Amino acid sequence: MDFDVAVVGGSVAGLQAALTLGRARRRVVLFDDGRARNRAAEHVHNYLGVLNPAPGELLGVGREQVAAYGVAVRESRVTDARAVDGGFVVGGERVRAVVLATGLWDELPEVPGIADGWGRSVVACPHCHGWEVRDQPLVQVGMRGFPERSVARALLLSRWSDEVVLCTDGDELTSEQLQRLAAAGVGVRCERIAEVRGTEVALAGGERLSARRVFVVVRQHQQSNLAERLGCEVVDGAVVTVGGRTNVPMVYAVGTTTEPALLAIGAAGQASTAAVAVHNDLLDSDLRGRG
Ligand SMILES: Cc1cc2nc3c(=O)[nH]c(=O)nc-3n(C[C@H](O)[C@H](O)[C@H](O)COP(=O)(O)OP(=O)(O)OC[C@H]3O[C@@H](n4cnc5c(N)ncnc54)[C@H](O)[C@@H]3O)c2cc1C
């Protein structure tokens, strides 16, 4: 085998898995095609030990760290992964184990202008970007057709500011939902949204709501179908794992590939735990047959 482990995906989870495995003296190759989920954002917040770096800056340090332990980094997309005798072929390399760290992409509400501001004036996660705009006027744009989620996100956001307005983009809400929003002090507009321009939300009737930040509801999807190609179980868009192990022996999934809601530091933390499991499984296989 060329390497012990192929890590596919080199954002926080993949790099952390590679770091833990490199330090365990495993021969690791890491593939990444540069589409970290937060790449449009200006800063990574809520990550202990660093002061809100740019996403690329954080990953750049991670790349330097893994290189110091001999991890081979390939800046390329893996389009095929398959089982062969004694292991797998991933991106043309023969390996004993595969770690999928391929992450997610975010489907945004279909409202003109939202994609233009994504990661800067338009964000999704209050835990990531709420503190910076606390106590200021905020608009929560819902995902049309998913009113439950829109309401839940507006209620969450209301803990960061008393001036939150939920725009449902045409979804009507039940009286119970309206009561809960009112109790949390959230304003509600159910008209269609014409466009979002920067941090201004234009309603279909022509009225414009100004906010300090626009939060949106997103739907998440796997960035890669390698898990399915390798025979891994995928439920509700997440690769099913126990401690990072999938149902396919020697195939692992880490970070948001397996737990979509993880913050960046959670993705890295989960990946380090899973990498220890990879190392232990390789150790078992190293020692098997040696009496
Ligand atoms: C706009 C935005 C802002 C955010 N801000 C914050 C924040 O401030 N704080 C915070 O904690 N969290 C934040 N998050 C969440 C954070 O981005 C995720 O928790 C984190 O990126 C998850 O890391 P990951 O390694 O699991 O996957 P990802 O970051 O999605 O990375 C997956 C990697 O795999 C690569 N890849 C995928 N398929 C292949 C393939 N076939 N071959 C090769 N490479 C492949 C991609 O190029 C990518 O680099 C934000 C998210 C968004 C969308």
Side-chain angles (χ1 to χ4, degrees):
M1 291 288 161
D2 303 321
F3 293 94
D4 292 315
V5 186
V7 177
V8 188
S11 181
V12 284
L15 284 168
Q16 181 62 55
L19 179 63
T20 301
L21 287 161
R23 286 176 55 85
R25 311 190 69 188
R26 293 298 177 187
R27 295 166 303 146
V28 179
V29 59
L30 178 145
F31 298 89
D32 187 62
D33 68 349
R35 290 176 301 117
R37 183 168 159 217
N38 58 346
R39 65 192 180 282
E42 285 175 299
H43 303 283
V44 183
H45 301 123
N46 210 351
Y47 200 107
L48 188 69
V50 289
L51 292 174
N52 308 330
E57 196 184 333
L58 184 65
L59 298 184
V61 173
R63 286 252 184 131
E64 280 178 32
Q65 283 180 288
V66 301
Y69 300 102
V71 172
V73 176
R74 308 263 196 272
E75 291 185 7
S76 60
R77 182 164 185 80
V78 174
T79 53
D80 194 23
R82 64 197 148 82
V84 294
D85 203 20
F88 305 87
V89 173
V90 178
E93 305 284 2
R94 289 172 65 87
V95 300
R96 297 167 65 195
V98 185
V99 175
L100 297 172
T102 45
L104 307 171
W105 67 273
D106 295 279
E107 177 188 340
L108 303 175
E110 283 185 23
V111 172
I114 280 192
D116 300 334
W118 178 234
R120 297 173 306 280
S121 51
V122 177
V123 293
C125 168
H127 289 289
C128 303
H129 305 288
W131 173 261
E132 285 65 33
V133 292
R134 64 196 182 281
D135 296 328
Q136 298 182 59
L138 306 174
V139 169
Q140 174 71 60
V141 170
M143 174 73 81
R144 191 170 149 75
F146 298 88
E148 289 277 336
R149 292 186 59 189
S150 305
V151 169
R153 297 304 290 191
L155 291 172
L156 177 68
L157 190 58
S158 73
R159 299 306 88 192
W160 278 266
S161 172
D162 289 339
E163 297 177 75
V164 175
V165 176
L166 167 63
C167 295
T168 68
D169 194 25
D171 281 338
E172 294 300 328
L173 302 181
T174 65
S175 54
E176 190 190 327
Q177 287 170 328
L178 289 168
Q179 272 169 22
R180 292 186 72 207
L181 290 163
V186 175
V188 179
R189 303 300 298 259
C190 292
E191 312 85 311
R192 293 299 302 269
I193 301 170
E195 65 167 352
V196 172
R197 182 98 20 235
T199 55
E200 202 172 69
V201 177
L203 299 173
E207 193 179 341
R208 291 178 173 270
L209 307 178
S210 279
R212 185 72 180 78
R213 196 74 86 238
V214 175
F215 285 75
V216 294
V217 175
V218 296
R219 297 178 73 201
Q220 295 151 344
H221 305 274
Q222 293 281 327
Q223 280 206 38
S224 147
N225 66 358
L226 292 176
E228 285 97 335
R229 291 176 84 108
L230 287 164
C232 302
E233 189 183 353
V234 179
V235 173
D236 291 336
V239 180
V240 178
T241 60
V242 178
R245 295 180 176 96
T246 71
N247 57 306
V248 180
M250 305 312 286
V251 178
Y252 307 79
V254 298
T256 52
T257 311
T258 178
E259 290 186 49
L262 289 174
L263 298 181
I265 200 159
Q270 187 274 349
S272 69
T273 303
V276 171
V278 178
H279 177 66
N280 287 338
D281 293 348
L282 286 169
L283 180 64
D284 280 348
S285 140
D286 292 338
L287 300 179
R288 204 169 297 136
R290 288 199 198 169

